[in-house]
Amino acid sequence: LAGKVRYLDSREDEQERGITMESSGISLYYRLARESKGSDTVAESTEYLINLIDSPGHVDFASEVASAARLSDGALVLVDVVEGVCTQTVSVLRQAWVENVHPVLFLNKIDRLIVEWRMTPSEAYVHMQQLIEQVNAVLAGFWEGDRLAEDSRKLEEAKERWREAHGDDAPMTEWYLEEKDDSQIYFSPEQGNVLFGSAIDGWAFRVNHFAAIFAEKLGLPSPAKLQPLMWGEYFIDPKTKRRVLTRKQYTKLYGTGKAATAMPLFVQLCLVPLWQVYESIVVEYDHEKIDKVISALGVKVLPRDRKSKDHRALLTVVMQGWLPLAQACMVAIIEQLPSPTAAQPL
């Protein structure tokens, strides 16, 4: 029922128009099970209570976003991969920046790239790369503005101290800009602060999900070693299937022609399986392919769902069983966003 009940759109006009017009909150309980690092693989569960505020995305209700940002410790920012960075996207990011709210990026409606735009996995990858760069460019603008303002303030303070020490007419000869690292403010899939998904079809993932699946198959000691390679110009060695190559290494081994058509890890391991699911169920309905996909993914599908004539409903069942939206979002919030004690220390 995710995406259909619109539980937090409690007003009648919100239900009719299909948009959020007023911020509303809900408390979500989640139990996260992790394997302990001891010799015995025992799952340890930790309980979390997440207070979620659903604020409007329309530009006419920017004040609701501002109020929600002041109350929040973190933000899950949704960006439509088709519409891209809009005016309200910049406004929301600016509000999060001003209130010092740490954000996580969710690239939504990826299903439209498959079903409507008929993009190939490689084309979608380039499109999403450019979209993340656009969002990061907005953050870079905020950071640069703050940096210039801070440097200007420090320069004035230094000039004042210089005048006090050397007189009003003495020229200032010593002033150095302090270098600052801005790498932590940007969205980067390999850092785990970017989700890819489709809310209407009930699925989402981060690259660490696929890193955990394929690390052992590629001969890497842990998923942490593979995760930084899941975004960017990294490729699987087509001969050994157990080695990851950079663009330069791939070109040296197989030539410029093959290197130009090679699919990066993210495309090959993440997007290609997604495209196969959509193409077999929605784009070109194929019973045999669907059975193979369900078997390969290890998803439990009830007979009534398998026989359903509503192809989109079957797709939702398969995708929710494979890459559940709620789990991906909750884990990202827990791992990437600060707790109240960390975000608001006394």
Side-chain angles (χ1 to χ4, degrees):
L1 297 177
K4 299 178 178 64
V5 174
R6 308 186 67 85
Y7 183 76
L8 294 180
D9 292 343
S10 54
R11 290 169 38 167
E12 186 176 345
D13 51 354
E14 289 180 320
Q15 292 282 348
E16 289 176 356
R17 296 177 63 181
I19 62 172
T20 302
M21 300 168 64
E22 188 176 63
S23 293
S24 51
I26 189 172
S27 294
L28 304 173
Y29 168 80
Y30 187 73
R31 177 180 292 172
L32 179 62
R34 288 192 179 97
E35 290 185 356
S36 60
K37 295 182 179 179
S39 56
D40 299 328
T41 55
V42 180
E44 296 179 350
S45 62
T46 308
E47 297 177 332
Y48 295 91
L49 181 65
I50 298 171
N51 297 305
L52 177 71
I53 301 175
D54 177 28
S55 58
H58 198 277
V59 68
D60 290 345
F61 308 104
S63 60
E64 293 285 336
V65 178
S67 301
R70 294 189 186 100
L71 296 171
S72 303
D73 303 313
L76 186 65
V77 180
L78 271 69
V79 175
D80 187 329
V81 293
V82 174
E83 298 293 335
V85 177
C86 303
T87 305
Q88 183 64 358
T89 309
V90 178
S91 176
V92 168
L93 290 171
R94 186 188 303 278
Q95 197 64 47
W97 181 270
V98 170
E99 300 297 338
N100 197 25
V101 173
H102 186 71
V104 168
L105 181 65
F106 189 114
L107 296 185
N108 192 25
K109 301 185 181 180
I110 292 178
D111 60 292
R112 294 184 64 188
L113 300 182
I114 309 171
V115 179
E116 295 179 19
W117 284 24
R118 299 297 175 92
M119 282 186 171
T120 64
S122 296
E123 291 170 343
Y125 172 64
V126 173
H127 177 76
M128 289 187 284
Q129 264 189 325
Q130 294 171 346
L131 182 54
I132 293 174
E133 288 173 0
Q134 291 170 11
V135 177
N136 285 336
V138 174
L139 296 178
F142 299 156
W143 184 85
E144 190 64 30
D146 285 1
R147 173 76 190 278
L148 290 174
E150 184 181 355
D151 288 342
S152 177
R153 178 182 58 80
K154 287 183 177 180
L155 178 58
E156 291 300 320
E157 292 175 355
K159 284 181 178 179
E160 186 65 29
R161 290 194 299 269
W162 184 270
R163 292 191 194 102
E164 291 175 359
H166 300 87
D168 293 341
D169 297 330
M172 186 174 176
T173 58
E174 296 180 4
W175 170 249
Y176 302 98
L177 282 175
E178 182 184 352
E179 291 188 6
K180 286 190 174 182
D181 180 21
D182 62 340
S183 60
Q184 298 302 314
I185 70 170
Y186 300 118
F187 295 115
S188 182
E190 65 269 26
Q191 292 181 6
N193 59 4
V194 178
L195 289 128
F196 305 86
S198 168
I200 196 168
D201 290 334
W203 62 268
F205 69 89
R206 292 184 296 158
V207 295
N208 61 336
H209 174 84
F210 288 93
I213 296 173
F214 290 103
E216 186 176 349
K217 295 179 181 179
L218 292 174
L220 294 170
S222 68
K225 297 290 185 182
L226 179 59
Q227 186 169 329
L229 310 177
M230 291 293 293
W231 187 260
E233 298 290 288
Y234 299 98
F235 309 88
I236 296 176
D237 189 335
K239 284 186 178 179
T240 64
K241 302 291 185 181
R242 292 183 63 83
R243 189 167 59 147
V244 179
L245 306 173
T246 62
R247 169 75 71 178
K248 186 176 180 180
Q249 291 171 330
Y250 200 102
T251 305
K252 186 177 180 180
L253 289 173
Y254 300 104
T256 308
K258 287 188 176 180
T261 58
M263 290 189 293
L265 278 176
F266 181 79
V267 177
Q268 192 168 352
L269 302 183
C270 304
L271 297 187
V272 169
L274 272 174
W275 259 245
Q276 290 173 346
V277 174
Y278 272 85
E279 286 171 355
S280 61
I281 298 178
V282 178
V283 180
E284 295 179 2
Y285 191 81
D286 189 313
H287 282 282
E288 292 184 4
K289 287 185 178 179
I290 292 172
D291 291 334
K292 289 180 180 178
V293 165
I294 293 173
S295 176
L297 297 177
V299 178
K300 293 183 179 179
V301 179
L302 297 175
R304 70 168 183 269
D305 294 324
R306 180 65 186 84
K307 296 176 183 177
S308 174
K309 294 183 179 180
D310 186 351
H311 299 169
R312 202 80 191 204
L314 175 59
L315 173 73
T316 302
V317 171
V318 173
M319 295 305 297
Q320 286 181 340
W322 179 31
L323 302 170
L325 172 68
Q327 180 178 324
C329 289
M330 297 296 267
V331 174
I333 289 170
I334 291 167
E335 293 183 352
Q336 293 291 322
L337 301 183
S339 65
T341 53
Q344 304 176 33
L346 295 176

